[in-house]
């Protein structure tokens, strides 16, 4: 018989289930027709043993529906809930078992353990004591006795922790609550108190962990979501603050405190998102203004001011405004010396301001805290090249312009320098020779800095006029032959030059 691969996989999926049915047939259990409570219990037990929890649970649901007075149906279902990690669902079933059969020590012991984990110490102790007075097995007696001692110890620790908290001994209270929560892992009250201790101790990360746990342990915990939102807000994390306060409003749309906080966070979030959008669009000056507005909106949270200054530092560096960028970046780094982003931005601003040694220092420091950052490695290499280059020939310095100068500024400076150093202006032979050399440098500077490709290479630390490189030699040869309509030296005796072997002509465009 030919069977497709997909059909075969479909058949194989049901083989374990079929084998369970076969076993039940041999045991005389009919699951097809009568749908009795016993058949559902037997089937559920088999599926539970096979690890098929969801299927087992379905059969125990049916058994409970079929006979609400059968304590074993509730007990089996509680067992599956516990195996699935659904302790909250298991607890009512165990209570129903004890209601139907008060002397069922196994169910009472399990319920006592769950109550202890929830921090319901009095109820847990009551269950453990009843187990000890209900003819338990040796194992049950040992476990109940041990848990009763533990519950008593936790009662004592809890009283001490409350006293320490009232006395504002937050580290001491937190230490005792650590021990309590090791046993009472689902105790909302203890976690809330410990979270408050962590907040007072300035350990916000630990407080967040406890509050997130309480928000899950208590289904309508608006207080936890509000506290989480406020903590994130003071940490400068506007996005997480907004997320948590929205969870509060989902539970209670009319919650006054959550709504007031939501409006404040939303306004700030909108400003920050707008500023980031402006940076993405390379509208840096507008982004700076927007971040300055952020600092005015929330002056009482230092982290927002710090974050805003960090982004202003970045925007000013990208806008090539080193005079403004360097002080802001320095302020950020004074508060956070290991901020790799601010170190990179200040290094870039230093390069723009031709402070190459300072740029190298910042890139080397950034490398310590961001080893695999490609931008840091490339920036450091570029800064070293520029430092080496600056000790040789710097075309920006030759024309007396900044690295951020526009083409119009460069041409204007070139014209002024060319007129000043024209060799015809000098009569002394030595001065004329010096002027000729300077005049060539000025013309080369104009050639490099008005050509986008050549200027980009120079800005990366490579001199396109350097005869040591093939490209540089080619460019140098091209320069002496005449370039971009300008020939600095036109040999020949005529042409109105006068006074020497050379005749100089300007060919400005």
């Amino acid at each position: 018989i030919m069977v497709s691969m997909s059909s075969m996989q479909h058949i194989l999926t049901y083989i374990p289930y079929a084998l369970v049915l076969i076993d039940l047939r041999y045991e005389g259990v009919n699951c097809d027709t009568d749908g009795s409570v016993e058949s559902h219990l037997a089937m559920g037990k088999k599926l539970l043993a096979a690890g098929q929890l969801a299927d087992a649970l379905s059969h125990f649901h049916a058994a409970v529906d079929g006979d609400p007075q059968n304590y074993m149906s509730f007990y089996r279902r509680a067992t599956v809930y516990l195996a699935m990690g659904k302790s909250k669902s298991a607890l009512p079933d165990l209570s129903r078992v004890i209601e139907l059969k008060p002397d069922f020590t196994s169910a009472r012991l399990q319920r006592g353990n769950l109550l202890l984990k929830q921090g319901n110490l009095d109820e847990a102790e009551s269950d453990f004591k009843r187990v000890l007075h209900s003819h338990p097995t040796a194992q049950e007696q040992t476990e109940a006795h041990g848990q009763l001692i533990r519950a008593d110890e936790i009662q004592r620790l809890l009283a001490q922790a409350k006293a320490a908290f009232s006395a504002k001994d937050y580290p001491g209270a937190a230490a005792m609550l650590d021990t309590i929560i090791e046993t009472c892992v689902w105790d909302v009250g203890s976690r809330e108190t410990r979270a408050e201790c962590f907040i007072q101790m300035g350990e916000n990360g630990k407080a967040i962990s406890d509050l997130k746990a309480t928000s899950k342990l208590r289904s309508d915990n608006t207080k936890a979501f509000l506290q989480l939102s406020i903590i994130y807000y003071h940490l400068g994390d506007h996005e997480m603050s907004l997320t948590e306060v929205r969870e509060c409003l989902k539970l209670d749309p009319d919650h006054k405190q959550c709504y007031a906080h939501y409006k404040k966070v939303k306004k700030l979030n909108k400003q920050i998102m707008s500023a980031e959008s402006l940076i993405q669009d390379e509208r840096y000056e507008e982004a700076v203004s927007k971040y300055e507005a952020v600092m005015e909106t929330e002056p009482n949270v230092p982290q927002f001011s710090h974050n805003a200054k960090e982004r202003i530092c970045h925007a000013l560096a990208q806008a090539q405004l080193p005079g403004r960028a360097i002080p802001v970046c320095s302020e950020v780094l004074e508060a956070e010396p290991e901020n790799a982003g601010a170190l990179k931005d200040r290094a870039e601003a230093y390069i723009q301001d031709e402070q190459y040694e300072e740029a190298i220092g910042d890139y080397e420091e950034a490398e310590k805290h961001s080893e695999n950052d490609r931008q840091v490695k490339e920036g450091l290499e570029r800064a070293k090249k520029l430092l080496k280059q600056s000790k040789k020939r710097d075309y920006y310095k030759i024309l007396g312009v900044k690295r951020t100068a526009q083409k119009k500024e460069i041409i204007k400076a070139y014209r002024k320098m060319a007129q000043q150093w024209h060799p015809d202006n000098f009569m002394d032979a030595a001065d004329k020779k010096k002027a000729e050399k300077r005049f060539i440098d000025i013309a080369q500077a104009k050639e490099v800095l008005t050509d986008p490709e050549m200027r980009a290479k120079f800005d990366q630390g490579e001199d396109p006029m350097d005869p040591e490189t093939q490209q540089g030699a080619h460019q140098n040869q091209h320069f002496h032959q005449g370039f971009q309509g300008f020939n600095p030296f036109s040999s020949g005796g005529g042409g109105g030059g006068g006074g020497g072997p050379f005749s100089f002509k300007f060919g400005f465009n």
Side-chain angles (χ1 to χ4, degrees):
I1 300 173
M2 301 299 293
V3 182
S4 69
M5 183 61 72
S6 60
S7 298
M8 180 61 74
Q9 289 173 343
H10 187 70
I11 292 168
L12 290 172
T13 302
Y14 290 97
I15 285 178
Y17 185 77
L19 290 174
V20 171
L21 288 173
I22 292 169
D23 289 344
L24 292 174
R25 291 287 188 186
Y26 278 114
E27 292 178 13
V29 178
N30 186 349
C31 296
D32 294 339
T33 57
D34 59 12
S36 67
V37 169
E38 289 304 318
S39 67
H40 282 299
L41 285 173
M43 187 63 177
K45 185 178 178 182
K46 285 286 185 179
L47 291 168
L48 177 59
Q52 298 178 21
L53 302 181
D55 292 332
L57 187 61
S58 297
H59 282 281
F60 292 137
H61 281 322
V64 167
D65 293 339
D67 183 4
Q69 301 302 313
N70 187 329
Y71 73 91
M72 190 53 68
S73 299
F74 287 99
Y75 184 71
R76 292 295 185 194
R77 189 169 72 174
T79 302
V80 177
Y81 278 138
L82 289 172
M84 297 173 77
K86 297 181 178 181
S87 302
K88 284 185 180 180
S89 299
L91 195 56
D93 276 1
L94 290 172
S95 295
R96 179 63 175 156
V97 172
I98 294 167
E99 182 184 338
L100 294 170
K101 190 172 176 57
D103 61 343
F104 196 159
T105 55
S106 180
R108 194 177 288 279
L109 184 58
Q110 287 190 46
R111 188 177 74 170
N113 287 332
L114 292 180
L115 291 169
L116 182 61
K117 287 182 178 181
Q118 288 182 343
N120 295 322
L121 302 177
D122 291 337
E123 295 177 45
E125 286 182 347
S126 176
D127 271 346
F128 295 140
K129 288 175 181 177
R130 287 290 297 273
V131 168
L132 292 173
H133 291 86
S134 301
H135 307 291
T137 64
Q139 184 178 352
E140 289 174 340
Q141 182 176 4
T142 300
E143 183 178 352
H145 185 262
Q147 292 294 71
L148 187 59
I149 292 173
R150 182 173 296 181
D152 286 339
E153 176 65 15
I154 289 171
Q155 290 274 29
R156 183 182 62 80
L157 274 175
L158 193 58
Q160 292 177 350
K162 287 179 179 178
F165 184 83
S166 298
K168 298 184 179 180
D169 176 14
Y170 302 115
M176 285 181 275
L177 288 165
D178 286 344
T179 304
I180 293 167
I181 292 171
E182 284 178 7
T183 299
C184 306
V185 291
W186 304 325
D187 182 6
V188 175
S190 293
R191 284 188 180 273
E192 287 177 340
T193 305
R194 188 172 70 173
E196 187 59 36
C197 289
F198 287 142
I199 291 170
Q200 296 297 329
M201 293 160 63
E203 297 186 23
N204 289 311
K206 293 181 178 179
I208 287 171
S209 178
D210 269 344
L211 289 171
K212 281 189 176 293
T214 64
S215 70
K216 294 175 182 176
L217 291 169
R218 184 180 293 160
S219 57
D220 60 344
N221 201 342
T222 55
K223 180 183 175 182
F225 286 118
L226 179 58
Q227 282 185 293
L228 282 167
S229 181
I230 290 171
I231 291 173
Y232 279 123
Y233 188 80
H234 286 282
L235 289 173
D237 192 337
H238 57 98
E239 291 179 328
M240 283 303 298
S241 180
L242 195 59
T243 297
E244 297 297 344
V245 77
R246 280 174 173 159
E247 290 299 318
C248 176
L249 291 173
K250 283 181 185 177
L251 294 173
D252 183 2
D254 298 322
H255 197 291
K256 290 183 179 180
Q257 288 177 296
C258 285
Y259 185 68
H261 187 63
Y262 168 75
K263 287 197 297 182
K264 181 167 68 172
V265 180
K266 187 178 179 182
K267 178 183 178 181
L268 196 68
N269 182 71
K270 186 177 180 181
Q271 287 179 311
I272 294 172
M273 292 294 100
S274 176
E276 286 301 306
S277 179
L278 289 168
I279 288 177
Q280 291 296 319
D281 294 340
E282 299 183 1
R283 295 159 62 183
Y284 300 117
E285 288 278 18
E286 294 176 65
V288 168
S289 297
K290 188 66 71 173
Y291 268 118
E292 287 172 345
V294 168
M295 290 191 284
E296 291 175 4
T297 298
E298 186 45 271
N300 299 320
V301 179
Q303 192 61 45
F304 279 120
S305 295
H306 178 78
N307 293 348
K309 287 175 185 176
E310 183 181 351
R311 298 307 289 161
I312 289 172
C313 155
H314 176 73
L316 291 172
Q318 292 297 308
Q320 296 192 340
L321 297 170
R324 292 170 60 190
I326 291 169
V328 178
C329 296
S330 297
E331 193 174 345
V332 173
L333 290 166
E334 187 176 346
E336 191 182 359
E338 298 180 1
N339 188 320
L343 285 165
K344 287 193 293 183
D345 287 328
R346 189 172 69 172
E348 184 59 34
Y350 275 139
I351 286 175
Q352 294 162 11
D353 205 43
E354 300 176 16
Q355 299 185 54
Y356 305 122
E357 291 181 353
E358 289 80 357
I360 290 170
D362 274 356
Y363 274 128
E364 287 177 341
E365 185 65 26
E367 196 172 35
K368 294 177 185 177
H369 312 298
S370 186
E371 294 181 3
N372 299 318
D373 191 324
R374 181 176 56 83
Q375 288 182 336
V376 171
K377 294 183 184 300
E378 291 177 354
L380 179 58
E381 184 179 349
R382 180 162 60 98
K384 288 179 178 178
K385 282 183 179 179
L386 288 169
L387 177 62
K388 185 178 179 181
Q389 184 188 81
S390 69
K391 294 177 180 178
K392 294 181 178 179
R393 181 167 53 177
D394 189 330
Y395 295 122
Y396 290 103
K397 286 184 177 179
I398 289 170
L399 293 182
V401 296
K402 288 191 173 293
R403 285 188 168 267
T404 54
Q406 300 297 313
K407 186 174 182 179
K408 288 182 179 180
E409 296 176 66
I410 292 167
I411 293 174
K412 183 179 178 181
Y414 160 70
R415 286 174 176 168
K416 182 180 178 181
M417 297 291 287
Q419 289 174 348
Q420 179 184 348
W421 289 95
H422 195 288
D424 280 354
N425 295 334
F426 301 87
M427 300 305 294
D428 182 77
D431 290 341
K432 188 179 287 292
K433 187 174 182 180
K434 179 181 177 182
E436 287 172 3
K437 184 179 182 305
R438 186 66 183 272
F439 195 71
I440 290 175
D441 286 342
I442 292 165
Q444 285 184 328
K446 183 255 187 184
E447 168 78 352
V448 171
L449 299 183
T450 56
D451 182 291
E453 185 178 346
M454 294 173 72
R455 183 176 180 179
K457 289 180 180 179
F458 184 74
D459 286 344
Q460 291 297 319
E462 176 185 341
D463 186 350
M465 291 293 182
D466 189 348
E468 292 180 4
T469 64
Q470 185 177 357
Q471 185 177 4
H474 173 73
Q475 293 288 356
N476 210 19
Q477 180 184 6
H478 170 67
F479 167 77
H480 283 294
Q481 290 173 348
F483 57 90
Q484 293 187 354
F486 174 68
N487 188 354
F489 302 123
S490 179
S491 61
F502 297 102
S503 175
F504 301 101
K505 296 181 180 180
F506 289 96
F508 297 120
N509 295 322

